Amino acid sequence: MNSLQLKPASRIRSIDIVRGAVMVLMAIDHVRVYSGLPAGGPTAGIFFTRWITHFCAPAFTFLAGTSAFLYGRKLADPRALARYLVTRGLLLVLLELTVIRLAWTFNFDYAHFVIAGVIWMLGWCMVLLAGLVVRLSATAIGTIGLAIIFFQQIFRFPPHLLPQPVRGPVGMVWEFIYPAGMESWSRISILYVLVPWIGVMAAGYAFGAILIRERDERRRICLRIGLSATALFVVAGGLGVFLNPAPNNAPPALFRLLNQQKYPASQLYLLMTLGPIIALLPPAEHARGWLAEVLDTFGRVPMFYYLLHIPAIHIAALLVTRLREGSIHPEWYATAPYTFVPPGHRWGLPQLYLVWVIVVAILYVACRWFAGVKARHREGWLRYI
């Protein structure tokens, strides 16, 4: 039986709480971008400020696949789900190239700088997932997803096997799929390629079939998968650290273990991040109190939050820069998220975290309002935001 032909389920609160948590964490890294502090170093404080945000992109992508599965059960029509995924995916791509790019930079110089970021990646992955859900079961989609994740390196070879006359043009497009060392688009900065992220979304789609099981069963399976993935990361990553001699002045072993490759996301990076995320879903089901309510609110309107948080952080950065420097220095942020704040003008961590708390508090008010609006108008264009 097709996995979509099941009784519709109510919204799973643990997904919204975990998604809300990583959305709040994401804002830390984007405040760091505008603060000018380098990613990952050199101090422990800056390292872990960046490291904790590594959970964001994997959680967004994986849970987007899970949400697609659950929405498909509600529709009970694979083709209707495919149409929704294509429409929403293309909308995300359009937003990345226009609204989001403008929010990052506050300029209209699209001819010289455009970024293919996380929303671009999520959009195209939804389009690709649409092609899978029409004909394949959740199990088959999950199997394909895991194969893409664990064998992703084979995607660097296909362009090199092509005849020379077509290798260049195809290679330029292929750089959006997986880095193959081909010539890329000079005016488009490719931050997120599609592999292995389409594999992560496909695996998340199959994971949805676990979340519709009885509570005790899904709790056992989530813990088994999450803790096993985390343990595999610790063992494999630890062996990599201790079997490879550290160069002179290398960071501590713990830093080297946690500093896994994100662009493109390596297998160890995904084990490190997705394992804890999956393991946190069962306890999130029982989360209560004000913090759980705040995270649940954010998690119910992820796209609305994303569209607001970048310009909010950007405006906050300009205000802070004006107070500190006497000028807003827009040139420092003209190609954000690649910013160029001179070393003597970068923020300290206390200021970074203060701005983060203020921005998140403001965003909560807006997101609580929009969550109410979306709950009252479940159909129509609001379902795409």
Side-chain angles (χ1 to χ4, degrees), residues 182-231:
M182 310 297 288
E183 182 180 356
S184 186
W185 301 79
S186 60
R187 296 177 181 177
I188 301 179
S189 177
I190 305 173
L191 192 58
Y192 284 87
V193 289
L194 302 188
V195 173
W197 295 108
I198 177 55
V200 174
M201 187 175 288
Y205 180 87
F207 182 73
I210 294 172
L211 292 187
I212 62 175
R213 301 189 183 192
E214 294 298 324
R215 184 176 65 179
D216 290 342
E217 183 182 8
R218 73 170 176 260
R219 179 181 182 276
R220 287 195 302 270
I221 296 175
C222 285
L223 289 175
R224 189 179 306 142
I225 294 173
L227 296 178
S228 296
T230 305

Side-chain angles (χ1 to χ4, degrees), residues 15-25 294-296 298-299 305:
I15 294 178
D16 290 332
I17 290 176
V18 171
R19 181 163 48 207
V22 296
M23 287 161 57
V24 171
L25 293 177
V294 168
L295 298 180
D296 179 58
F298 284 138
Y305 174 97

Side-chain angles (χ1 to χ4, degrees), residues 15-30 53 55-57 59-60 294-307 309 313 356 360 363 367:
I15 294 178
D16 290 332
I17 290 176
V18 171
R19 181 163 48 207
V22 296
M23 287 161 57
V24 171
L25 293 177
M26 173 185 64
I28 297 175
D29 192 50
H30 293 164
T53 66
F55 292 86
C56 301
F60 291 151
V294 168
L295 298 180
D296 179 58
T297 298
F298 284 138
R300 283 186 281 130
V301 290
M303 196 61 218
F304 181 77
Y305 174 97
Y306 193 94
L307 290 174
H309 92 287
I313 292 171
W356 168 64
V360 169
L363 289 173
C367 289

Side-chain angles (χ1 to χ4, degrees), residues 72-140:
R73 291 182 65 234
K74 176 182 176 181
L75 295 174
D77 180 357
R79 294 189 179 278
L81 175 61
R83 288 193 295 271
Y84 168 79
L85 290 172
V86 170
T87 302
R88 188 160 196 251
L90 294 178
L91 174 62
L92 294 185
V93 171
L94 178 63
L95 288 173
E96 178 77 82
L97 297 178
T98 56
V99 175
I100 295 173
R101 190 266 178 207
L102 177 62
W104 278 117
T105 64
F106 282 1
N107 66 60
F108 293 93
D109 191 14
Y110 290 87
H112 294 93
F113 177 73
V114 175
I115 186 167
V118 66
I119 302 301
W120 158 283
M121 174 271 290
L122 286 171
W124 285 118
C125 285
M126 286 181 182
V127 173
L128 294 174
L129 182 63
L132 299 177
V133 302
V134 172
R135 298 187 178 276
L136 299 178
S137 67
T139 301

